[in-house]
Amino acid sequence: MSDFDVRAVDLNALNSLTKYPSIPTYHELDPRNGGLLPQAVPFSGPVVGSEKVDGTNSRVVVLPDGSYLLGSREELLYAQGDLIGNPALGIVANLRALAETLAGTPGDAIRVYYLELYGGKIGGQAKQYSTRGATGWRLFDVAVVDDLDERLSWPLQQISAWREGGGQSWLTEQQLQAVGLELAPRLFTLDAADLPPDIEGMHAFLGEHLPRTLVALDESGLGGPEGIVLRSTDRAVIAKARFQDYARTLKRKAR
């Protein structure tokens, strides 16, 4: 699909097709108070644990003609060759050079690189990684979106349902390792049976496996980690476990 022309397609549809879907918490969130419920996401087989970096979800969208777009979680911010880009969250300034290295090869599908951009003044926990304003990024997922003639013609509601329902195709853990970019740190691979089923057990598990962040940008960082992402090796199942969710839930239970 080397004749793909980004300026001829519905950009709202393209934006929705390439957004990162919502990821459930390992223990279900209580919609009434934001605490955690006893139900846990069921995993089977090997489970990979990686650090969940606290920054801003960013996209490098490599198009079938070999050009690229940059985006935040919610919107597209820049197209290759534009004179002006949206400066939101520093995504364009920090990721444009990387995007130039990823683009250039035409294909039949869109390839979306999802990265966490962190540090600087990004988010309330930036000082955990650097108090000097340093920024960095880590790759955490890559999706491949094909059948573009069909998918780009869908109404936005259908695209959203497809995306949130697991429609995107994802690189496996082995394929991610072969991309050659810095990944969110891998902490362990263990059998699903070894994941704590209860809230108290997972809280202790987080502290045992990630006592401090592994992606501090310099020695000035305070070092507090956000949590762990759990995923099957084929990425069919994925969930997040955040320190603050468990601490808040256990504090309420202790009252």
Side-chain angles (χ1 to χ4, degrees):
M1 198 169 178
S2 58
D3 59 348
F4 182 92
D5 182 359
V6 67
R7 288 171 171 79
V9 304
D10 182 340
L11 291 180
N12 289 323
L14 181 60
N15 181 43
S16 189
L17 277 175
T18 59
K19 283 183 179 181
Y20 197 68
S22 303
I23 298 300
T25 51
Y26 176 63
H27 282 96
E28 184 180 342
L29 275 178
D30 188 337
R32 298 169 299 177
N33 58 26
L36 296 171
L37 298 170
Q39 295 83 359
V41 171
F43 282 87
S44 61
V47 177
V48 177
S50 61
E51 179 173 353
K52 186 180 189 306
V53 184
D54 195 341
T56 186
N57 188 310
S58 309
R59 290 176 273 170
V60 177
V61 182
V62 179
L63 300 169
D65 63 0
S67 67
Y68 69 83
L69 306 172
L70 290 171
S72 63
R73 183 184 188 103
E74 294 299 327
E75 61 182 329
L76 299 173
L77 304 174
Y78 177 81
Q80 184 179 21
D82 285 351
L83 295 176
I84 298 173
N86 187 324
L89 302 168
I91 290 173
V92 175
N94 283 282
L95 297 180
R96 184 161 49 187
L98 171 65
E100 293 286 349
T101 70
L102 295 173
T105 303
D108 295 321
I110 293 173
R111 196 173 177 94
V112 191
Y113 297 80
Y114 297 98
L115 308 106
E116 198 74 16
L117 179 66
Y118 68 102
K121 297 181 179 180
I122 301 167
Q125 299 303 310
K127 290 185 177 180
Q128 302 301 331
Y129 307 107
S130 173
T131 60
R132 298 174 184 166
T135 59
W137 56 263
R138 290 295 179 114
L139 179 73
F140 61 88
D141 248 327
V142 177
V144 178
V145 183
D146 55 11
D147 295 331
L148 295 176
D149 289 336
E150 175 187 358
R151 301 195 202 284
L152 284 168
S153 69
W154 289 346
L156 293 180
Q157 185 175 6
Q158 183 178 354
I159 294 175
S160 178
W162 167 84
R163 183 186 69 241
E164 296 298 322
Q168 289 157 312
S169 297
W170 301 96
L171 297 195
T172 65
E173 176 65 15
Q174 185 177 9
Q175 290 169 329
L176 273 180
Q177 295 283 351
V179 168
L181 299 180
E182 280 195 296
L183 298 175
R186 269 41 188 168
L187 306 173
F188 55 77
T189 300
L190 50 73
D191 190 88
D194 295 325
L195 290 176
D198 59 293
I199 291 171
E200 292 82 0
M202 179 52 74
H203 184 245
F205 181 92
L206 289 173
E208 175 186 351
H209 289 278
L210 189 62
R212 287 182 62 84
T213 181
L214 298 179
V215 292
L217 294 162
D218 54 49
E219 67 276 11
S220 75
L222 302 180
E226 184 187 12
I228 294 176
V229 174
L230 305 165
R231 56 194 293 158
S232 57
T233 53
D234 62 359
R235 205 203 174 281
V237 184
I238 188 168
K240 59 190 176 186
R242 298 177 296 202
F243 280 93
Q244 65 175 8
D245 292 336
Y246 287 88
R248 180 172 57 244
T249 301
L250 293 175
K251 183 178 181 179
R252 285 176 177 156
K253 291 180 69 174
R255 290 174 182 170

